[in-house]
Amino acid sequence: MMHMRLIHLIIPCLLIGLIMPVGAFSADNLDFTIQENGDAEIVFDYTLNWIERFAVFLRIADPNAEFQAALERAYKKPVEVQSVTQGSTIFTIESLATIDETGEVIRYTVPALDFSYAEKILNEYWFAPLVQVDLSPDRTTVTFPDGKIISYYDVSKIPATSHTIDRVVAP
């Protein structure tokens, strides 16, 4: 009798869990900080739903490794993971920005980044029907050595971004 009551409680809970909106992996913020030598620190903040957190817990999925692979594929450079917390990862890439020094100015150019390829790959996983992937960060910033910040909002393709800094000439 007690066994039947337990089943009557579990079945509705399972049904509710199956029909609830799944939610999505969403990229919240992507921040590039460019150093004077062209190296970059990249901070990636994201939100996982309960299914995705469970998949990460079971080591079925690893959003940090997937994003690292996407950066390496896009930039064709090694990407190092500096730190990982729940919902955030810090990466570094050496010589990400190209530097063009001409006369009295220094021009930094950060290459374009397209997340659509990474979204396609993530949608090929067996658990893809259970999640919705949105790799368009709510906000992407590129901060240059002089403090200039260029921002993009809700885009999956970040264009090449350049900024020119006046060279400081010693007297």
Side-chain angles (χ1 to χ4, degrees), residues 117-136:
Y117 182 77
E119 282 187 29
K120 272 194 257 184
I121 289 185
L122 289 173
N123 285 326
E124 292 174 4
Y125 281 100
W126 66 268
F127 56 83
L130 301 175
V131 297
Q132 294 174 321
V133 177
D134 178 12
L135 290 180
S136 304

Side-chain angles (χ1 to χ4, degrees), residues 25 44 46 48 52 56 61-68 89 91:
F25 169 91
F44 179 50
Y46 54 88
L48 300 175
E52 293 153 347
V56 169
D62 183 355
N64 303 311
E66 295 299 332
F67 192 68
Q68 179 184 14
T89 306
F91 302 96

Side-chain angles (χ1 to χ4, degrees), residues 97-170:
T98 57
I99 301 171
D100 182 23
E101 298 183 47
T102 308
E104 300 298 316
V105 297
I106 303 170
R107 182 176 182 85
Y108 291 88
T109 302
V110 178
L113 181 60
D114 183 355
F115 292 115
S116 59
Y117 182 77
E119 282 187 29
K120 272 194 257 184
I121 289 185
L122 289 173
N123 285 326
E124 292 174 4
Y125 281 100
W126 66 268
F127 56 83
L130 301 175
V131 297
Q132 294 174 321
V133 177
D134 178 12
L135 290 180
S136 304
D138 293 339
R139 188 186 94 213
T140 299
T141 60
V142 180
T143 304
F144 290 93
D146 67 345
K148 169 72 174 177
I149 298 172
I150 298 176
S151 299
Y152 302 97
Y153 297 92
D154 201 29
V155 294
S156 63
K157 296 178 182 177
I158 301 160
T161 304
S162 296
H163 175 60
T164 302
I165 300 172
D166 291 332
R167 184 188 308 263
V168 177
V169 179

